[in-house]
């Protein structure tokens, strides 16, 4: 499908992006802001978030906000405090792009380091589930909120040696579908899954060190899909999984 989002399609919307300092999250933040959104940039490296903040203000988009937060250690209280500030400053939250993730080890489960396992499950799954739960009241205040969960090919179909990363994404897809089922008749929030597929980023290079990155699509090429799921053109989508094939 060829899709082109309308200019200004996110005007008046406030959108939280996790892992906003690098890779796909950085590109999505710039793109959402360029389409009129006020973006809240959440990540663990403040200097990277500040660089994205500067790019957004330089391109003349609405002033973003920065939330330094390490999802490996963030407690519910910290997420609640962020939610309270969102309510006070923006009165509602129109979208969340759950994008931050870590790769962990790619070894047989028998050899997997259990501290790494716990960290991957915390960042990729538990923090996402808990944050979504805590943000629910401010998402309900928006007329048509969109929550996007970022999965992976090894989340749709678990794959040997991908360990906690694969399991975390598989469970995340389950969580998205559970929420879609649970809330489709009782809220205006939609929950969908986006698997970006192989994309030229730092994480991909770490996962496939011998691959030529120039053979991969860029994060920028994915943006029509990221825009579709975040703006009101996708109001009827609920509990669906999207891949870049959608753009083909
Ligand atoms: P990157 O590693 O390039 O970026 C990940 C971002 O998440 C970084 O900004 C990173 O922050 C942030 N992050 C990592 N850990 C934490 C944490 N503990 N707390 C807060 N922020 C954190 O990854 P990609 O852009 O490639 O991936 C984005 C999403 O797409 C992920 O969910 C990934 O699983 C998924 N995906 C990517 C594919 C690909 O080929 N690239 C393929 C399939 C799925 P910092 O920069 O400070 O480390």
């Amino acid at each position: 499908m060829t899709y082109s989002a309308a200019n200004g399609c996110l005007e008046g919307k406030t959108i939280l992006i996790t892992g906003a300092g690098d890779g796909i999250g950085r590109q999505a933040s710039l793109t959402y802001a360029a389409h009129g959104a006020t973006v809240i940039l959440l990540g663990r490296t403040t200097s990277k978030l500040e660089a994205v903040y500067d790019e957004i203000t330089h391109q003349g988009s609405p002033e973003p906000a920065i939330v330094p937060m390490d999802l490996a250690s963030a407690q519910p209280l910290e997420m609640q405090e962020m939610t309270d500030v969102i309510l006070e400053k923006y009165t509602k939250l129109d979208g969340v792009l759950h994008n931050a993730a870590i790769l962990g080890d790619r070894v047989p489960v028998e050899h997997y380091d259990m501290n790494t396992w716990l960290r991957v499950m915390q960042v990729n799954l538990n923090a996402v589930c808990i944050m979504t739960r805590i943000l629910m009241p401010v998402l309900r205040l928006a007329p048509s909120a969109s929550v996007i969960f970022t999965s992976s090919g090894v989340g749709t179909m678990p794959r040997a040696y991908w360990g906690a990363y694969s399991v975390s994404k598989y469970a995340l897809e389950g969580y998205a579908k559970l929420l879609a089922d649970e809330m489709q008749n009782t809220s205006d929030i939609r929950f969908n899954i986006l698997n970006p597929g192989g994309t030229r980023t730092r994480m991909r290079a770490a996962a496939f060190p011998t691959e030529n990155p120039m053979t991969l699509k860029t994060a920028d090429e994915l943006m029509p899909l990221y825009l579709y799921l975040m703006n009101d053109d996708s109001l009827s989508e609920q509990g669906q999984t999207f891949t870049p094939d959608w753009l083909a």
Side-chain angles (χ1 to χ4, degrees):
M1 167 173 185
T2 49
Y3 173 77
S4 178
N7 286 338
C9 63
L10 296 175
E11 264 167 28
K13 291 188 188 287
T14 302
I15 297 167
L16 173 68
I17 297 119
T18 71
D22 210 337
I24 298 170
R26 172 186 165 277
Q27 188 60 53
S29 301
L30 295 171
T31 304
Y32 288 160
H35 283 75
T38 298
V39 290
I40 302 170
L41 311 168
L42 186 152
R44 65 179 168 182
T45 309
T46 305
S47 57
K48 289 187 180 183
L49 300 176
E50 286 171 347
V52 178
Y53 179 102
D54 288 345
E55 281 187 79
I56 287 171
T57 48
H58 187 70
Q59 73 190 13
S61 301
E63 187 182 5
I66 288 179
V67 179
M69 190 185 291
D70 185 345
L71 298 173
S73 56
Q75 296 298 308
L77 181 62
E78 200 178 340
M79 297 180 190
Q80 184 61 57
E81 286 168 356
M82 175 184 74
T83 307
D84 294 345
V85 172
I86 290 172
L87 179 62
E88 195 183 313
K89 200 163 172 200
Y90 304 109
T91 69
K92 64 178 173 35
L93 186 64
D94 300 275
V96 185
L97 173 60
H98 286 296
N99 163 83
I102 52 174
L103 203 50
D105 296 334
R106 265 137 317 103
V107 296
V109 170
E110 273 187 293
H111 299 161
Y112 210 98
D113 175 72
M114 284 297 107
N115 287 324
T116 305
W117 186 282
L118 288 172
R119 197 164 56 252
V120 173
M121 296 303 277
Q122 184 60 31
V123 173
N124 296 8
L125 180 66
N126 291 337
V128 183
C129 297
I130 293 167
M131 188 182 289
T132 307
R133 157 72 182 85
I134 290 173
L135 288 169
M136 216 69 96
V138 281
L139 288 165
R140 276 191 180 277
L141 292 172
S144 56
S146 172
V147 180
I148 304 173
F149 297 94
T150 309
S151 189
S152 152
V154 302
T156 306
M157 179 55 73
R159 193 178 305 160
Y161 313 126
W162 282 74
Y165 180 84
S166 183
V167 172
S168 67
K169 296 291 191 181
Y170 191 69
L172 195 61
E173 292 204 11
Y175 183 62
K177 288 174 187 171
L178 179 152
L179 286 177
D181 187 36
E182 197 166 286
M183 298 186 68
Q184 60 185 335
N185 297 323
T186 57
S187 83
D188 295 316
I189 310 171
R190 61 196 189 281
F191 302 91
N192 291 290
I193 299 155
L194 199 168
N195 163 15
T199 308
R200 197 186 308 162
T201 66
R202 199 168 47 97
M203 180 187 282
R204 177 75 186 191
F208 297 93
T210 60
E211 183 178 63
N212 176 0
M214 300 316 283
T215 61
L216 297 168
K217 66 182 174 311
T218 62
D220 189 36
E221 291 172 64
L222 289 165
M223 289 304 119
L225 178 52
Y226 279 76
L227 280 166
Y228 171 68
L229 285 176
M230 198 51 88
N231 85 73
D232 288 352
D233 284 348
S234 59
L235 282 183
S236 62
E237 309 288 4
Q238 182 67 275
Q240 303 300 311
T241 302
F242 291 82
T243 70
D245 289 348
W246 184 85
L247 293 166

